[in-house]
Amino acid sequence: MSSFLKWTLILFSLVSIILNIVLICLGSSKAPKCTRTPRFPPKAKHDPRSAVFADLTREEYTQVQDYMRKGLGVSTDALTEPSQDFLFLIELSLPKKASALSYLDAGGPPPTREATAVVFHGTRGHIKEYVVGPLPDPTYHRDVTEERYGTQLHINARTVTVGEYHLLFKMLDEQVFAKLGALMKDSFDVDVDQKDERRRRRLNAFEQMPRGRKSGDRSTWISYFRDVSGMYIHPVGFEVLVNHASVNASDWRVERLLYNGRYFESVDELKAKYAAGDVSKIVYKETPDYGSLKPRSGPLQVAPQQYYAEGKRFSVGGNHVLYLDWSFAFGLSSLTGMRVFDVRFGGRRIAYELSVQEAMSVYGAVSPGLALTKFLDSSIGVGRFAHELTRGVDCPYDATYVTTHRYIDVAAPTRFANSICVFEHNVGQPLRRHFADFFGNSYGGMVNSALVFRTITAIGNYDYLWDFVFYQNGAVEAKVHATGYMSTSYVLPGNEKYGHQVADKVLGNIHTHFVSFKVDLDVMGVKNVFQTKDMKYVNVSMPWAPDHHAMVPQLVEKELKTEQEAALRYGTKTPRYLHIASNQLNRWGNKRSYRIQVITFAGDPLPESEPEERSMSWSRYKVAITKHKDKEQTSSSLYSQNNIWSPAVDFSQYIEDNESIEEEDLVAWVTAGFLHIPHSEDVPNTVTVGNGGGVILRPHNYFDEDPSVNSPDAVYIKPGTEQSCQTNRMACLAQESCSPVLEPFTYHGFDGAMNFDEF
């Protein structure tokens, strides 16, 4: 080929590319911008009464903080020492249900707005919970500890605070690292004499919980990991047991150490035997940065995005959400996380409360850092770690984002921008459809477009995605998916029984995930019963041929009458259909009900013979039905982790009194989860696919027909009407195309994040 021809072809190609780009740009510029104003306003108005469930405002947090500081003399310094009195937590004190319903339904007075304040009284050796009110401008407080828990709370039931961590890390630097300079350098490339923190390589700590073996203990095994991306999958084989039971840090001591699979009674013993060569040494070597989430390839095309061609069909006003036939109030508890209240469909209440209660994991290992570990996350704070959601990744780019405030283990209320998102999305499959073929041709279908209410909490190594999903057929789903980093341990002899090796000297440890949901359904009011339905095969004769028998499935219905009957344990045969039902009938003579459908592949619950099991006794039950009581507000508590052997809340006691559940206000406590056997594909991150569970609340004879028949999203096509927009909006979508109007990308997720480097 001549050079002239070659350059002619190159020039032609460039001109063609430029022309196509210009044409695309011109076409795009002609597309109108999508409206941000909804084409049709919501069916209902926002209800200001939803504020009865609203989280405290920044101003309310500050008012309670000032009141507690002046009235009780407690410290609000984030580095308060355990021996002092520290204001650890402030959050909304939920109103009693009867008061709230009187206000919402009967024109009664609004319940008094109050806060719960938790104080760690280090000077007195106990923990107190106070109700502070009224808000705004509090004037009183009262001790409700015994009222709520029936006992006093020992100071060692407290969560480890930032102030206590500060003292722990200082002690470990002075009593462990400073004395083991040669070992630290040889094994981990840590130079303990390097004073420049920016240049000093270090090890990061991760704790075992519970802290000991019996009530009153506070001894913690601390495992160490490399200071690299995804530290949780870089264990180094060094663990330290610290006794910090005293509120005075001067009394704390190192009780034992583990180095490369061998135990030592003291730092001095390890130092001496290491120097004498009487230890199998760990020799430091650089490892690949396999835990990093930094992309390994550059961006190419943007993934598919969703946008609202005619404005959003939902509205968020304060803590109240409207979406087509749905409405609900919402909140985000620092301790338990996401919750919604007064959930209504078509104006009628379906649920008074749907909330996350607890997230729990039980680990298996040969090394102490994980061997006895049982994490109860509400004791750290499930909602506490709900940081900013990243547009286009954590939620669709054009979702509506909600900012929250929290007060837990801080010196002042903390703002978390965009920590909740709300969006409508196409689930990707039709909600219903049928193609008629044999007797007249037609197509009828409806897109499954649903509203998602979401937050994501990053609790240490794991990130949990919490979704409440509202469907147009009247169903609600509460679900969780887990991602983040698995917990790992250093490969030692014998630990192949507890997981799979996933990297050099790294074992991914087997563990369970259990999540507790509270489902307070009010089906046609608060007088409900608990029904089960299933099937059985029955050998019956055929009416038209009495001499012929066949095994035919039949419906089996039963109504359970007491709390113990309705405590449905894991490991036992459970009816497939579980219902909270009303004695009111639908048009066809059936009891109106909502079905509780649990989505789970949980591992086995901890055996009841284990002393820690009482703190997680809720996990025995796939579903447990109890009579509503205001004092039975939660399935777990802030104190379950650190006094796991004598829990302030033992859920099994809710069932022990075996009250009647006939024609009562009923609460369903649902446990879902999954067993995680880590594998090499969990590096660098565990993915959400297949790692989750939840519960679906489905109308079952509640309506006379599927309420989605009234949805404007339905499509119907008969031969000859394929292009008609009257019954098929999709036919005209191409003519109505518009370009989305997007908010600029921002991210403030690191604001309010816990950072031990700042100590």
Side-chain angles (χ1 to χ4, degrees), residues 581-600:
S582 167
N583 278 324
Q584 295 186 40
L585 307 180
N586 72 359
R587 180 182 176 186
W588 314 113
N590 303 304
K591 286 186 176 181
R592 298 183 186 271
S593 76
Y594 256 74
R595 179 186 173 194
I596 301 168
Q597 184 174 348
V598 184
I599 310 299
T600 183

Side-chain angles (χ1 to χ4, degrees), residues 25-317:
C25 292
L26 286 172
S28 299
S29 65
K30 292 178 181 178
K33 294 292 185 182
C34 297
T35 178
R36 300 191 70 84
T37 303
R39 182 174 180 179
F40 300 101
K43 292 182 179 181
K45 301 290 185 182
H46 284 294
D47 189 344
R49 293 174 298 179
S50 68
V52 73
F53 303 112
D55 295 333
L56 301 184
T57 65
R58 188 183 192 114
E59 293 72 25
E60 288 173 325
Y61 280 124
T62 301
Q63 289 167 355
V64 175
Q65 181 189 40
D66 289 344
Y67 175 88
M68 294 297 290
R69 186 166 49 208
K70 295 171 184 176
L72 275 75
V74 298
S75 173
T76 58
D77 186 337
L79 294 182
T80 299
E81 297 187 3
S83 58
Q84 300 173 282
D85 296 338
F86 177 56
L87 178 58
F88 175 73
L89 170 74
I90 304 171
E91 73 170 3
L92 175 70
S93 184
L94 288 171
K96 295 186 184 303
K97 183 175 180 179
S99 299
L101 292 182
S102 172
Y103 175 56
L104 294 171
D105 299 342
T112 302
R113 188 162 170 81
E114 296 175 318
T116 291
V118 176
V119 178
F120 296 163
H121 284 289
T123 62
R124 307 178 198 174
H126 59 230
I127 301 167
K128 291 289 187 183
E129 290 197 3
Y130 301 95
V131 164
V132 181
L135 298 178
D137 305 319
T139 58
Y140 63 80
H141 69 277
R142 66 179 187 275
D143 180 357
V144 294
T145 313
E146 293 235 16
E147 175 187 328
R148 290 181 175 179
Y149 304 109
T151 184
Q152 291 292 320
L153 301 171
H154 190 272
I155 191 64
N156 280 359
R158 74 189 185 279
T159 302
V160 175
T161 63
V162 169
E164 188 171 355
Y165 278 123
H166 173 63
L167 295 174
L168 271 173
F169 294 157
K170 181 180 178 183
M171 171 204 170
L172 289 163
D173 277 344
E174 294 172 352
Q175 296 189 25
V176 178
F177 287 88
K179 294 181 178 181
L180 297 175
L183 181 151
M184 290 292 153
K185 184 62 180 175
D186 296 344
S187 298
F188 313 124
D189 196 30
V190 171
D191 185 354
V192 299
D193 296 321
Q194 174 59 257
K195 303 304 180 186
D196 188 345
E197 288 291 334
R198 294 169 298 178
R199 301 177 59 188
R200 177 182 174 182
R201 193 188 294 264
R202 66 181 183 186
L203 298 179
N204 290 336
F206 193 58
E207 310 157 89
Q208 158 262 337
M209 299 179 205
R211 305 177 191 280
R213 291 175 290 178
K214 64 183 187 304
S215 189
D217 282 356
R218 201 172 181 82
S219 294
T220 304
W221 275 104
I222 299 174
S223 303
Y224 284 94
F225 297 77
R226 295 195 182 195
D227 183 26
V228 294
S229 299
M231 56 164 265
Y232 306 101
I233 55 175
H234 289 274
V236 300
F238 182 58
E239 302 182 16
V240 180
L241 177 62
V242 179
N243 185 324
H244 51 121
S246 172
V247 294
N248 297 305
S250 59
D251 296 331
W252 297 352
R253 62 189 184 276
V254 174
E255 292 189 327
R256 189 167 283 192
L257 303 94
L258 175 69
Y259 173 81
N260 201 17
R262 183 173 170 183
Y263 291 92
F264 300 87
E265 298 298 321
S266 68
V267 175
D268 291 338
E269 181 192 2
L270 173 56
K271 180 179 179 180
K273 290 186 175 180
Y274 186 88
D278 188 22
V279 175
S280 176
K281 297 183 179 181
I282 298 171
V283 178
Y284 175 79
K285 65 176 182 179
E286 290 285 348
T287 59
D289 192 12
Y290 54 78
S292 174
L293 299 182
K294 185 176 181 180
R296 299 182 188 180
S297 61
L300 296 173
Q301 291 175 278
V302 175
Q305 302 291 308
Q306 72 168 46
Y307 65 97
Y308 301 93
E310 297 179 327
K312 295 176 180 178
R313 301 196 298 183
F314 65 90
S315 174
V316 181

